[in-house]
Amino acid sequence: MFIPSAFVETDLIWLDRLLARDAFVTLVTTGADGLPQATRMPVLYRRDADGILIEGHWAKPNPQAGHAGPALMLVQGPHAYVSPGWYPDKAAQARVPTWNYAAAELRGVLEPVTDDEALIAMLDSLSAHYEAQVGGDWELLPIEPRQQRMLGGIVGFRFRPAQVQIKLKLSQNHPEANQSSVIDALSALDAPASRELAQWMRWRREGGAAAD
């Protein structure tokens, strides 16, 4: 990922925040024909003593299923258009339109998970996590015959990124007056995505970790 120095972020709290916001990622690998393969999927993310662990699963018919080896995971954050008309110095500096956003790219090695017990534990954690988010009470019941058949139709994976790139393009390369003006303009729009981006800009200005 191309990241100008002004937008580089190394504090993993921003990765925590990105994946807490939206853990529906894009997983990219290289297929047998040498071309990229991509799957969009929900994942379970956590940090532990060994670093970062991300778990998920494919449907078995997916050509990417069972891939072992290098992979790229794309994490999308908030984004929105920024008008040059919002900058106080727009005329003096001949400002142009841009797009503000937050995103991450993770590179590492995929490890397929086919062991039944490990797969059940992974699926149980994944479903419990997302059921809790929506106030649901669905449970994985691996002894139930229909669920047993479904388990045979998926392949799990573990992914430990060796490289994490976080990009926060949040107007931090602009003077304070421009940043404040963009935050105000985004906050005033009748668009949830723009207002969310304004909040991320506030967090970035307040020091990130201290904003929680």
Side-chain angles (χ1 to χ4, degrees):
M1 177 162 58
F2 170 61
I3 313 181
S5 59
F7 307 134
V8 172
E9 181 54 63
T10 58
D11 190 337
L12 288 180
I13 192 169
W14 290 99
L15 183 62
D16 297 343
R17 186 172 279 140
L18 282 164
L19 282 156
R21 171 193 178 273
D22 186 358
F24 194 72
V25 305
T26 301
L27 182 63
V28 183
T29 58
T30 302
D33 58 2
L35 297 175
Q37 292 182 321
T39 302
R40 294 156 187 83
M41 61 175 69
V43 294
L44 193 62
Y45 161 84
R46 67 175 177 270
R47 283 202 269 154
D48 58 26
D50 296 320
I52 296 168
L53 176 63
I54 298 174
E55 298 175 309
H57 65 276
W58 301 277
K60 191 169 284 185
N62 186 332
Q64 195 181 58
H67 176 89
L72 170 68
M73 186 172 288
L74 308 178
V75 184
Q76 180 65 55
H79 59 93
Y81 175 75
V82 174
S83 169
W86 296 342
Y87 301 127
D89 65 357
K90 55 185 177 293
Q93 298 297 326
R95 298 297 186 184
V96 296
T98 192
W99 206 275
N100 275 8
Y101 61 93
E105 290 189 5
L106 315 180
R107 297 178 185 270
V109 176
L110 282 172
E111 172 194 345
V113 176
T114 55
D115 174 76
D116 284 349
E117 288 189 10
L119 188 57
I120 288 168
M122 181 185 299
L123 293 173
D124 190 47
S125 296
L126 191 69
S127 60
H129 175 76
Y130 288 106
E131 281 292 307
Q133 288 189 355
V134 299
D137 59 2
W138 184 88
E139 291 184 86
L140 179 67
L141 300 171
I143 62 172
E144 206 275 329
R146 286 173 297 182
Q147 292 195 25
Q148 281 185 340
R149 289 195 293 273
M150 292 177 67
L151 286 171
I154 63 175
V155 178
F157 68 81
R158 296 189 182 95
F159 179 67
R160 284 195 179 275
Q163 181 188 56
V164 176
Q165 291 183 300
I166 304 170
K167 183 173 183 177
L168 301 180
K169 185 177 179 295
L170 302 175
S171 297
Q172 61 265 49
N173 58 327
H174 278 262
E176 284 291 320
N178 283 5
Q179 294 182 43
S180 295
S181 182
V182 171
I183 289 172
D184 291 344
L186 289 170
S187 299
L189 294 175
D190 187 21
S194 296
R195 294 196 296 270
E196 182 187 17
L197 183 66
Q199 181 58 60
W200 279 60
M201 291 181 66
R202 292 188 193 97
W203 285 339
R204 175 62 180 75
R205 294 177 76 198
E206 292 165 4
D212 288 322

